[in-house]
Amino acid sequence: MINSDRARVIGRVADHLAAQRLGHPVRVAVDGITAAGKTTLAAELTAAIRTRGRPAVHLSMDGFHHRRAHRHRQGRNSAIGYYQDAYDFDTFAHTVLTPLGPGGDRTYRAGILDLATDEPIDEPPIRATPDTVLLVDGSFLQRLAGLWDETLFLDTSFPIARHRGTHRDATLLGGLANAETAYANRYHAACRHYLDEHDPATNATIVVANDDLDHPLLHRIGGTKNDTVALFSYGTLQLPQVQLDRFGRRLTGTPDALPGHRTDWITITDPAVITTSGTDRHPIVRNTGNPADTTPGTLLHLTTTELAAADTYEVDAYRRTRTHLASGTPAWSYLSSTSTP
């Protein structure tokens, strides 16, 4: 069972990804240094997105390695060799990301190599539905910039990732001492090249700190470090004390409304939210589809760091989704989780 703090972060990221409607599958990179926790998180997100009614597929770059002779052509312990030669990014882009992108035929390959046997895989291609969310875990994924619709960077410190990875891979690498050497000289040395060249934490659209597996932190969501996002608030995020607590500043908004939605009320039990807002009675909006139902509120513009702070403020009764306001402006809104698609 997933820890409640971890489940909250996974749920918020799943809400965000499940809300994307692009007309083609949503291509999501789950990026990070070796042993950051990418495979586990991608699997958890896949399950969470499915519970939100979207088909989701999880692939690993382990199935898109070059063959062993190619991977080791610059030396078995070469860091730059691992960085440049481990993954067949060209084939991955050609057989997965491009066909799942705009104008593609939506057929993709689940893998091209059995990493254990070093033998090629030649299985029939799979056809995705237009509303599929594809999550791919792997290292160096932002080398394929421009082919992803969302990039999640799992921000894990080198010492913690090294401890996880060396204990996980000790048997495979011939003992703990050999694993320590491999991580220091090859795997994490290659990751440092990647961080220096691509600055993936800055350029990712979602950043999750994952040093503490039970208590990950959602640092940013909704765009890169310099992006801003539109959020419609009809409730306590309009309050000055909530804005100062969550964002460290007062926001200037404009009046707007959400048509086709009705306002109800719920009782909040989260002590932190009650303390911040000053009340346990909060409004919640449900989609009715009736144009006569209108919810007034405020259109706010937030940084992507502030949107993450708003996500972690709202309790699980709310789900962030895309809406269109009376002004015609598209904006995120927190709706009832029992009435969102």
Side-chain angles (χ1 to χ4, degrees):
M1 183 175 179
I2 301 175
N3 172 279
S4 60
D5 287 347
R6 185 172 181 86
R8 171 70 66 85
V9 169
I10 290 167
R12 288 313 189 199
V13 176
D15 289 346
H16 179 80
L17 297 176
Q20 308 292 349
R21 303 284 176 176
L22 305 178
H24 63 81
V26 182
R27 302 161 298 174
V28 183
V30 182
D31 189 23
I33 66 175
T34 307
K38 303 180 294 296
T39 302
T40 298
L41 184 73
E44 292 167 337
L45 281 172
T46 301
I49 290 167
R50 289 173 180 165
T51 67
R52 285 154 173 78
R54 290 288 294 272
V57 173
H58 174 203
L59 296 185
S60 174
M61 285 303 296
D62 281 351
F64 290 88
H65 275 85
H66 282 292
R67 298 189 76 174
R68 192 173 294 123
H70 185 102
R71 298 199 306 271
H72 297 166
R73 63 182 180 172
Q74 298 189 62
R76 178 65 183 86
N77 297 315
S78 168
I80 198 65
Y82 181 63
Y83 181 47
Q84 294 176 344
D85 299 331
Y87 299 107
D88 189 346
F89 283 120
D90 289 341
T91 298
F92 177 73
H94 177 70
T95 61
V96 180
L97 295 184
T98 298
L100 295 183
D105 64 6
R106 303 199 314 276
T107 60
Y108 68 95
R109 305 240 351 234
I112 60 171
L113 184 78
D114 185 314
L115 190 58
T117 65
D118 198 41
E119 292 298 324
I121 297 171
D122 187 15
E123 297 179 349
I126 303 165
R127 187 171 179 83
T129 63
D131 60 342
T132 294
V133 180
L134 172 77
L135 297 106
V136 180
D137 71 79
S139 299
F140 319 140
L141 295 185
Q142 290 187 54
R143 290 173 60 182
L144 295 171
L147 293 178
W148 301 105
D149 301 301
E150 293 276 355
T151 304
L152 188 159
F153 184 74
L154 204 52
D155 194 2
T156 307
S157 66
F158 278 104
I160 288 177
R162 183 174 65 249
H163 178 80
R164 289 179 193 161
T166 54
H167 285 75
R168 179 193 68 189
D169 298 335
T171 301
L172 178 67
L173 296 174
L176 187 58
N178 287 343
E180 291 277 3
T181 299
Y183 268 78
N185 295 341
R186 180 169 168 84
Y187 300 122
H188 279 176
C191 290
R192 294 183 192 278
H193 281 293
Y194 174 59
L195 298 185
D196 289 344
E197 287 190 7
H198 291 274
D199 194 8
T202 295
N203 295 312
T205 57
I206 305 169
V207 177
V208 175
N210 200 44
D211 275 359
D212 186 336
L213 294 175
D214 286 336
H215 307 283
L217 300 173
L218 183 60
H219 278 177
R220 199 174 73 242
I221 196 166
T224 63
K225 186 176 181 179
N226 297 319
D227 287 337
T228 58
V229 293
L231 176 70
F232 176 74
S233 175
Y234 55 84
T236 59
L237 284 174
Q238 300 173 100
L239 298 176
Q241 71 267 25
V242 174
Q243 293 179 1
L244 289 171
D245 177 81
R246 302 310 298 172
F247 314 135
R249 67 182 180 112
R250 290 280 305 275
L251 303 181
T252 301
T254 55
D256 214 317
L258 185 60
H261 292 74
R262 183 186 70 243
T263 304
D264 292 326
W265 295 86
I266 61 170
T267 300
I268 301 295
T269 58
D270 187 317
V273 175
I274 295 171
T275 298
T276 301
S277 65
T279 180
D280 66 352
R281 185 168 166 78
H282 286 213
I284 192 165
V285 160
R286 306 180 194 280
N287 187 348
T288 67
N290 184 347
D293 293 330
T294 299
T295 298
T298 305
L299 176 62
L300 304 170
H301 292 279
L302 280 66
T303 68
T304 52
T305 301
E306 290 168 342
L307 185 61
D311 272 1
T312 54
Y313 167 76
E314 298 290 359
V315 300
D316 291 342
Y318 298 86
R319 181 170 295 172
R320 179 164 55 80
T321 191
R322 292 190 181 277
T323 56
H324 280 80
L325 305 183
S327 64
T329 304
W332 292 106
S333 300
Y334 292 101
L335 307 184
S336 168
S337 61
T338 60
S339 66
T340 53

